[in-house]
Amino acid sequence: QKEVEQNSGPLSVPEGAIASLNCTYSDRVSQSFFWYRQYSGKSPELIMSIYSNGDKEDGRFTAQLNKASQYVSLLIRDSQPSDSATYLCAPLIGDDKIIFGKGTRLHILP
Amino acid sequence: SQTIHQWPATLVQPVGSPLSLECTVEGTSNPNLYWYRQAAGRGLQLLFYSVGIGQISSEVPQNLSASRPQDRQFILSSKKLLLSDSGFYLCAWSAGLSYEQYFGPGTRLTVT
């Protein structure tokens, strides 16, 4: 089983709607997760970190971690065209390394 | 605030030529430093990481090497480039126990 799995997309969401991005992981990885946003041709940008079970909200973004189901998600409320990007799920491995999923391409439809 | 620099931004090199990519971090001390490669249509691959001067861990055996001559400087090198070395090279840093990694702007390398 691959350690981090994401649907490659593209996921198309109308402007103003909620975009839901999902990630599943093997039980070997840590219980700390990061979400990165990567615009085409640019480097990844950290947008959310979640270290414990439950929800964490930051502005329009909410990260959800369900350890029992080995599932982490990112919700983007009031989606904007500027949210169109690839979103990378990244769990922490060991004490100092992150592994990255291949990402989900999100397209916000104006 | 912290800033991470990478150069050059783009590079076109022939097969068999040497490579040197540089990364520097400002505004922090003793950062953990990382080199990643992102090949076209593929995910981020960790190549090397360093927790201190002269301390390098290699994740993928290949024709690349890394060095950390100063606290906030990280260099990626190759003696002879292969076509398969083409990709987007990213340097990242993290501080202390936060584990959050922050990326530089990257170097896009094309080996011809």
Side-chain angles (χ1 to χ4, degrees), chain A residues 34 36 38 41-44 46 49 51 88 92 95-98 100 102, chain B residues 34 36 38 44 46 49 59 88 90 98-105 108:
Chain A
F34 307 94
Y36 285 81
Q38 186 174 23
K42 302 296 185 182
S43 61
L46 178 66
S49 307
Y51 295 95
L88 309 176
L92 180 68
D95 292 333
D96 54 13
K97 290 186 289 185
I98 293 175
F100 288 83
K102 292 186 177 180
Chain B
Y34 309 83
Y36 290 87
Q38 190 174 39
L44 279 165
L46 179 62
Y49 71 98
E59 291 296 303
F88 192 32
L90 293 154
S98 73
Y99 308 120
E100 297 174 344
Q101 293 184 19
Y102 300 92
F103 285 86
R108 194 163 302 279

Side-chain angles (χ1 to χ4, degrees), chain A residues 56-71:
Chain A
K56 179 182 177 182
E57 185 175 320
D58 184 0
R60 295 187 296 113
F61 298 96
T62 298
Q64 299 174 319
L65 176 58
N66 185 324
K67 296 179 183 179
S69 302
Q70 298 179 249
Y71 177 88

Side-chain angles (χ1 to χ4, degrees), chain B residues 20-76:
Chain B
S20 181
L21 303 180
E22 188 165 343
C23 170
T24 58
V25 181
E26 296 177 353
T28 187
S29 297
N30 196 30
N32 294 332
L33 296 173
Y34 309 83
W35 278 112
Y36 290 87
R37 178 172 61 200
Q38 190 174 39
R42 300 181 65 180
L44 279 165
Q45 179 186 34
L46 179 62
L47 302 175
F48 301 95
Y49 71 98
S50 171
V51 298
I53 295 174
Q55 300 178 62
I56 308 294
S57 296
S58 174
E59 291 296 303
V60 182
Q62 52 199 334
N63 67 319
L64 299 173
S65 62
S67 63
R68 185 170 177 175
Q70 300 180 42
D71 181 44
R72 289 169 289 179
Q73 183 185 30
F74 206 20
I75 297 172
L76 182 69

